[in-house]
Amino acid sequence: MEEAGAPHFPFPYQPYPIQEQFMQALYGALEHGKVGIFESPTGTGKSLSLICGALSWLRDHEEKRRQEADRLLQGGGVTALSISSSLSTTTSSSAEPDWITDFVQKKAERDFVSKLKDEELRRKKREEHLEMIRNNSQLKYALKRKSCEDDEAVKLLQLSKDPQGEELKDPEEEELIVAEYESDDESKTKNKFCGGDDDDEDDLVEEHVTKIYYCSRTHSQLAQFVHEVQKSPFSQDISLVTLGSRQNMCVNEEVRRLGSVQRINDRCMEMQKNKHDQRPKEVEGGKRKRGVSKAVCPYIGAQGLQTLRDAVLGAVRDIEQLLSLARETRSCPYYATRLAIPPAQLVVLPYQTVLHEGTRRASGVQLKGQVLIIDEAHNLSDVLSCIHSSELTGAQLCRAHSQLAQYSERYRSRLKAKNLMYIKQILFVVEGLVRVLGGKVGQNPHSQTTQPATELLTINNFLFKAQIDNINLFKVQRYFEKSMISRKLCGFIEKYAGTGVTSHTQTSHTQTQFANKENRRTEGLNRYLQTLQSSQQPDTESPPGQQGAAEDRELAASPMMQVEGFFMALTNTNTDGRVVLHTQGSVAVSSMKFLLLNPAVHFSQVLKDCRAVIIAGGTMQPVSDFKQELLFSAGVGADRIIEFSCGHVIPPENILPIVLCSGPSGQELEFTFQNRDTPRMMEETGRVLSNLCNVVPGGVVCFFPSYDYSRRILEHWEASGVLARLSSKKKIFQEPKKANQVEQVLNEFSCTIQRCAVDGGTLSGALLFSVVGGKMSEGINFSDDLGRCIVMVGMPYPNIKSPELKEKMAYLDKNLPHSGGRSPGQALIDNLCMKAVNQSIGRAIRHRGDYACIVLCDRRYSRPATLAKLPDWIRAHTHTHTKFGPAFAGLRRFFMEKKKQQQQQL
């Protein structure tokens, strides 16, 4: 029976008890401004619980505020009296006369009521604006922020013009010139760009309503969440907006074909500038001159953006539905969704947009007083470290230096002194970075050889080594932001590549070419860029993810964006990060990487700004290091943190977790680095799998600790005949090398299992070999017959010889308290291992009627400390077997009972 005053949760069906508990705990966390860690296994309806729990709180919160305002606006009431009484209690102890006390109380009441009146007026104004939006009215304020951003470059150009004694400039050249720059020390006046003294315009700037930000790791997960919202009882009442990158949101096919993330971004910005450059230019004598016609994006018209924004706020749509509508209305969904943020009640966005401060600010995301839900947050610490880390190659640094030097030389007579000073500082720093890698900026980086080595430095020691410790990187970073030099350099390279920009190896001839306009049309930079791309042929094959990232970096018109990101990383405090130098073969392929050791420093502002933060996931265990590294280190008190973990909806008899300590021949299973490659251990593993395949129907998924070990053991099995024996029972599949082949392998794996279930031939299903932390260990659904048995071979400990991991362990040992007799560094190793295990074994058991067995092949899993790191719903049913016989008998019995139950149901 529902308690009086307990919140009511609308739900599309009768919720499970654990879903009720989840929503109650979530509601309480949001109401009291907590930081909640919520664990709910896949298949328990976590997304729907998050939606209904959070939106129920938002509904009640808005209703309470409305009632409170109404009560006060109608004549005071209880709240005003309570304010008065609270004031009297605080002032009664003082020696002030009664008339002063009364005056203070009445003034406080008047101020409070006045504040509420203002808030109520603003709320009504927002509702009127939203109603006007839904009626497709023309709203000037809707485009204020966008027009402000779009006109910024134009206004900067106007500021940079010197009317005295200058000849007529080429309009196309003007957009590439950096505007006159004043540092913060010299200029602390009002904002120059957005017309801050226009009161009427300020009144039209839309305020952000109380909202919930929901972020997840991938766009597919965000789309799945939006589909759940569409199925929920709130689908007709909620204003939802989905944010994405230009790469995912762009509907201009000409731009989409560019492929590279940076190329798409640069092209989009350039086309926006072109839109403003279409206006006639004033010239001497009062005549007007129209510049050369340039490409303008047809999707950024004001009317179209308003129309699409109205549609976004009017109905819940995922990205695919939004893109389809955007193509119909010929409007840009990237900018329309950002215009819809202020009045939206639920904003769905990827990790990067909300966890990186610069991206957050550029997207118009304001977290102050709002609710943030971070889903799939088991790897949140790694995500934060990755987002705020940065890497540069020697080839990128040399190219950036060459391009910026040529830009500076070309426009030297038209750049102001302050601009030239900062450009010179940037060139000086880049030169120092190349020197650290053992090279010189005036030579081809591929022809400069270096000795292979790895060196790890603190930020300060790195600055000293590069001899750039005398440069104020904070001012340089501010210059990057204000001047937009990286974007202007991109435009410069795109415009003049092959038509007047030469390789940096021709320094002496460059000045002559800049002086002679007829000699500008050369192919220097083109040849140089081709040399950089064709010469870089790595000896080893890069992982697909890294390969794609490398291609993006190489294809970028200018690497100055990456250089800017590295400069920003170097502004972290000395203790929070390290720089790893990798020199290998030549300067071009050598690299420097900034490694963030303290992700809490960038998460602390999020925790401070938000009213409440919910960190949710299917497998959040172990959470001890998570709390210590991300929450306590960010200044969150233990009283603000709450934890909630629920069991699975499946009955206990539907899961059989087994820790297997030995194989069929009695060989102890302990896959340490020393003995896992022995023939006896490999053959025993083959015998374990062979026995399992005899009794497990459908699909078996076997996870190896690394790609290297997977390759070695499969080669051994092929030579010894183990693979042939396995393939006589189940068709064998392997995790593909390329990410774009995963779906094809999964489809074939699924079709084979379905065909075997129908045909009833010699094959009983399929066996899939995968790798922990690989393409199939996260986000893949092995439900029902696809994953009747998950086998974990060994324990996937990370490589402790990695310089980055060593430094991270040392940092934790120095800065975090020791507990349980283990150092924080060693605890990190154990937790990284078990988090990877939990993600892999969580691929099975995806709904209430599902069943599977989980076989952990390593006796080290039987240690109490290791078992404690398994999810509660798995640990509670785990059986440890020192001998193979009893384990195999229990497993056979498990599947025989399931088969009997299925036959009875038929």
Side-chain angles (χ1 to χ4, degrees):
M1 189 171 178
E2 199 172 289
E3 296 179 15
H8 168 64
F9 301 106
F11 217 73
Y13 54 82
Q14 181 60 39
Y16 300 129
I18 59 172
Q19 289 177 314
E20 286 275 9
Q21 297 162 15
F22 186 103
M23 291 186 289
Q24 291 280 0
L26 175 63
Y27 191 102
L30 301 184
E31 182 67 18
H32 298 104
K34 300 290 187 180
V35 175
I37 303 174
F38 282 69
E39 182 181 50
S40 181
T42 303
T44 57
K46 169 170 62 73
S47 296
L48 208 50
S49 300
L50 281 170
I51 291 165
C52 295
L55 294 182
S56 294
W57 171 83
L58 183 62
R59 173 203 62 197
D60 294 349
H61 175 74
E62 289 299 313
E63 184 59 29
K64 286 177 185 174
R65 289 182 61 180
R66 199 168 287 119
Q67 291 177 359
E68 184 82 0
D70 289 343
R71 193 162 48 239
L72 284 170
L73 292 172
Q74 289 170 6
V78 179
T79 307
L81 290 173
S82 64
I83 293 172
S84 177
S85 61
S86 64
L87 280 168
S88 63
T89 56
T90 57
T91 57
S92 59
S93 57
S94 67
E96 298 289 349
D98 290 343
W99 68 270
I100 293 182
T101 304
D102 291 340
F103 175 80
V104 171
Q105 290 174 0
K106 289 177 181 177
K107 185 178 185 303
E109 290 176 27
R110 286 195 303 271
D111 291 345
F112 186 72
V113 172
S114 177
K115 181 183 176 183
L116 280 174
K117 284 182 179 179
D118 291 341
E119 289 180 357
E120 180 67 10
L121 288 173
R122 285 196 295 269
R123 182 186 67 79
K124 287 182 178 179
K125 190 174 181 180
R126 282 196 302 266
E127 290 179 353
E128 289 171 3
H129 283 165
L130 184 57
E131 189 63 30
M132 291 170 70
I133 288 172
R134 284 175 174 161
N135 292 330
N136 286 326
S137 296
Q138 301 299 315
L139 293 181
K140 187 179 179 182
Y141 77 88
L143 294 171
K144 175 175 170 57
R145 176 155 35 87
K146 181 185 181 303
S147 62
C148 171
E149 293 172 351
D150 288 348
D151 287 335
E152 183 172 326
V154 176
K155 292 184 180 181
L156 278 169
L157 292 174
Q158 292 172 354
L159 289 172
S160 68
K161 292 179 181 178
D162 185 359
Q164 295 181 353
E166 275 201 41
E167 72 278 10
L168 185 63
K169 302 299 190 303
D170 180 359
E172 292 187 44
E173 293 276 295
E174 287 300 310
E175 68 180 36
L176 301 177
I177 309 295
V178 178
E180 183 174 4
Y181 179 75
E182 292 184 347
S183 66
D184 288 352
D185 295 338
E186 300 163 332
S187 176
K188 297 185 178 179
T189 58
K190 65 179 183 179
N191 189 328
K192 297 178 181 178
F193 307 126
C194 292
D197 54 352
D198 190 342
D199 295 335
D200 294 335
E201 288 289 315
D202 285 343
D203 288 341
L204 292 172
V205 175
E206 198 168 9
E207 294 185 22
H208 285 242
V209 302
T210 302
K211 66 178 87 276
I212 295 168
Y213 289 100
Y214 172 91
C215 68
S216 193
R217 194 166 52 93
T218 65
H219 283 281
S220 61
Q221 289 168 341
L222 295 176
Q224 184 179 351
F225 178 82
V226 174
H227 293 155
E228 294 293 323
V229 175
Q230 290 172 331
K231 292 188 292 185
S232 77
F234 295 91
S235 60
Q236 302 301 315
D237 306 319
I238 196 75
S239 295
L240 179 147
V241 56
T242 303
L243 301 185
S245 64
R246 283 185 176 90
Q247 188 180 35
N248 289 98
M249 301 284 268
C250 182
V251 290
N252 187 329
E253 291 303 322
E254 176 200 336
V255 178
R256 285 175 64 86
R257 280 195 295 268
L258 296 174
S260 161
V261 176
Q262 185 172 336
R263 280 189 165 189
I264 290 174
N265 289 341
D266 292 345
R267 184 61 173 159
C268 177
M269 297 297 292
E270 180 196 356
M271 293 176 93
Q272 286 185 72
K273 286 188 218 169
N274 293 347
K275 172 188 170 186
H276 295 283
D277 291 340
Q278 297 300 309
R279 290 171 298 192
K281 308 286 183 178
E282 285 282 356
V283 296
E284 292 179 1
K287 297 181 181 179
R288 292 181 180 270
K289 169 182 163 183
R290 187 175 295 276
V292 179
S293 179
K294 304 178 201 175
V296 176
C297 183
Y299 293 88
I300 54 174
Q303 177 62 44
L305 288 177
Q306 288 182 0
T307 302
L308 187 56
R309 182 201 188 207
D310 298 353
V312 167
L313 294 170
V316 176
R317 291 179 175 85
D318 65 15
I319 283 187
E320 291 304 318
Q321 294 167 331
L322 178 60
L323 293 181
S324 177
L325 181 63
R327 292 187 182 98
E328 290 177 17
T329 59
R330 294 190 63 78
S331 305
C332 175
Y334 179 80
Y335 284 104
T337 50
R338 276 150 179 76
L339 292 173
I341 292 175
Q345 296 168 292
L346 179 58
V347 180
V348 180
L349 66 175
Y351 279 166
Q352 168 84 14
T353 309
V354 75
L355 296 178
H356 188 270
E357 184 181 2
T359 310
R360 202 162 62 231
R361 190 168 58 245
S363 301
V365 172
Q366 297 181 12
L367 296 180
K368 190 71 175 176
Q370 310 290 17
V371 170
L372 174 63
I373 298 176
I374 306 173
D375 204 358
E376 302 298 332
H378 56 274
N379 60 348
L380 180 58
S381 179
D382 295 336
V383 168
L384 282 162
S385 297
C386 182
I387 287 175
H388 294 92
S389 294
S390 181
E391 186 171 8
L392 287 173
T393 65
Q396 288 176 295
L397 286 167
C398 289
R399 185 144 41 110
H401 187 279
S402 170
Q403 293 170 358
L404 186 59
Q406 293 172 76
Y407 175 89
S408 174
E409 185 65 31
R410 187 181 192 96
Y411 299 121
R412 177 174 296 277
S413 63
R414 297 168 62 181
L415 291 170
K416 301 300 181 182
K418 187 69 73 172
N419 284 318
L420 289 172
M421 183 194 78
Y422 276 108
I423 289 174
K424 189 174 181 180
Q425 287 187 8
I426 294 170
L427 290 170
F428 178 79
V429 173
V430 173
E431 186 175 349
L433 299 184
V434 175
R435 189 165 52 244
V436 164
L437 293 177
K440 293 183 179 180
V441 293
Q443 303 173 15
N444 191 315
H446 291 279
S447 63
Q448 301 181 68
T449 59
T450 57
Q451 294 297 319
T454 299
E455 187 178 5
L456 199 144
L457 302 166
T458 65
I459 296 176
N460 286 347
N461 287 341
F462 174 76
L463 297 177
F464 292 141
K465 186 180 179 73
Q467 299 177 10
I468 56 174
D469 53 294
N470 59 323
I471 301 295
N472 187 332
L473 290 178
F474 291 95
K475 284 193 172 185
V476 174
Q477 177 192 342
R478 198 177 303 119
Y479 177 75
F480 268 117
E481 293 176 358
K482 298 293 185 184
S483 68
M484 300 183 290
I485 181 67
S486 297
R487 292 204 178 276
K488 292 182 181 296
L489 190 59
C490 286
F492 169 72
I493 296 303
E494 186 168 341
K495 180 173 181 178
Y496 290 111
T499 61
V501 179
T502 60
S503 168
H504 61 266
T505 56
Q506 301 174 342
T507 309
S508 60
H509 188 56
T510 299
Q511 295 176 0
T512 306
Q513 286 191 318
F514 280 125
N516 187 349
K517 190 172 182 179
E518 293 301 320
N519 290 335
R520 288 178 183 174
R521 300 190 173 277
T522 64
E523 303 264 339
L525 183 64
N526 256 357
R527 288 198 303 272
Y528 174 55
L529 293 178
Q530 290 168 5
T531 302
L532 288 183
Q533 292 174 8
S534 61
S535 302
Q536 189 169 2
Q537 297 177 354
D539 297 331
T540 57
E541 183 179 354
S542 301
Q546 296 178 10
Q547 197 170 12
E551 287 174 0
D552 271 359
R553 289 195 297 267
E554 285 300 319
L555 288 171
S558 171
M560 191 55 75
M561 291 283 189
Q562 285 79 12
V563 174
E564 180 181 345
F566 193 81
F567 278 30
M568 185 179 297
L570 291 178
T571 59
N572 281 275
T573 59
N574 187 53
T575 56
D576 288 339
R578 298 290 183 271
V579 179
V580 185
L581 298 177
H582 288 292
T583 52
Q584 42 185 339
S586 71
V587 170
V589 295
S590 297
S591 65
M592 55 183 63
K593 180 180 180 180
F594 175 79
L595 175 68
L596 181 68
L597 299 178
N598 181 20
V601 72
H602 293 287
F603 196 46
S604 59
Q605 191 61 45
V606 173
L607 294 166
K608 180 181 177 183
D609 286 347
C610 290
R611 172 196 174 97
V613 176
I614 304 300
I615 302 164
T619 51
M620 294 299 295
Q621 295 294 332
V623 298
S624 55
D625 66 323
F626 185 89
K627 290 194 295 184
Q628 193 66 250
E629 187 181 354
L630 271 188
L631 302 184
F632 294 151
S633 297
V636 178
D639 58 335
R640 195 187 172 196
I641 301 172
I642 67 164
E643 293 181 49
F644 177 86
S645 179
C646 64
H648 212 293
V649 293
I650 61 165
E653 61 270 16
N654 278 20
I655 183 173
L656 181 63
I658 293 174
V659 176
L660 201 56
C661 299
S662 61
S665 68
Q667 169 71 39
E668 185 177 70
L669 299 177
E670 186 173 4
F671 293 84
T672 60
F673 188 76
Q674 290 77 18
N675 63 13
R676 68 182 184 179
D677 287 328
T678 60
R680 284 189 63 189
M681 185 66 75
M682 290 185 174
E683 287 163 14
E684 190 75 348
T685 308
R687 283 190 283 269
V688 169
L689 268 181
S690 184
N691 279 275
L692 292 177
C693 290
N694 282 334
V695 298
V696 177
V700 175
V701 183
C702 178
F703 285 100
F704 295 110
S706 68
Y707 284 103
D708 188 47
Y709 187 65
S710 171
R711 178 183 54 79
R712 291 201 302 272
I713 196 170
L714 290 177
E715 287 175 354
H716 180 85
W717 284 353
E718 187 171 13
S720 62
V722 172
L723 274 184
R725 291 199 302 273
L726 290 173
S727 61
S728 67
K729 300 164 186 175
K730 292 186 182 291
K731 185 174 180 179
I732 294 176
F733 293 87
Q734 292 186 41
E735 180 178 306
K737 292 182 179 179
K738 296 182 179 178
N740 59 6
Q741 296 175 343
V742 169
E743 190 172 350
Q744 179 186 349
V745 171
L746 286 175
N747 287 336
E748 293 177 6
F749 179 69
S750 176
C751 290
T752 300
I753 292 170
Q754 293 172 6
R755 191 165 55 248
C756 291
V758 175
D759 296 345
T762 56
L763 294 178
S764 63
L767 170 62
L768 173 63
F769 293 121
S770 188
V771 175
V772 176
K775 305 172 190 68
M776 296 183 173
S777 62
E778 286 189 38
I780 303 296
N781 186 346
F782 292 114
S783 63
D784 300 316
D785 282 344
L786 296 184
R788 290 303 181 201
C789 182
I790 305 292
V791 182
M792 184 66 58
V793 176
M795 298 187 72
Y797 283 107
N799 180 14
I800 59 173
K801 293 183 179 180
S802 160
E804 292 93 338
L805 187 57
K806 280 184 176 179
E807 195 63 27
K808 180 76 171 180
M809 292 172 66
Y811 174 84
L812 294 177
D813 288 342
K814 182 178 179 180
N815 292 280
L816 296 186
H818 291 52
S819 62
R822 294 178 71 78
S823 69
Q826 186 58 50
L828 171 70
I829 296 294
D830 295 339
N831 290 334
L832 287 174
C833 170
M834 290 309 296
K835 280 182 178 179
V837 169
N838 291 339
Q839 280 302 305
S840 298
I841 63 180
R843 299 307 93 209
I845 312 286
R846 310 294 285 187
H847 58 85
R848 183 179 179 85
D850 207 354
Y851 65 91
C853 69
I854 298 168
V855 181
L856 304 174
C857 295
D858 198 307
R859 73 171 188 86
R860 292 174 292 176
Y861 283 110
S862 64
R863 297 177 300 199
T866 303
L867 284 173
K869 297 182 187 297
L870 289 170
D872 293 340
W873 65 278
I874 293 179
R875 182 178 65 247
H877 307 292
T878 301
H879 302 274
T880 300
H881 293 279
T882 56
K883 296 186 181 299
F884 183 78
F888 184 71
L891 193 140
R892 178 194 291 270
R893 188 166 53 249
F894 176 80
F895 285 107
M896 287 180 65
E897 289 175 357
K898 295 302 171 191
K899 185 176 180 180
K900 189 183 297 182
Q901 289 175 8
Q902 289 178 342
Q903 290 173 346
Q904 290 173 353
Q905 291 173 359
L906 295 175

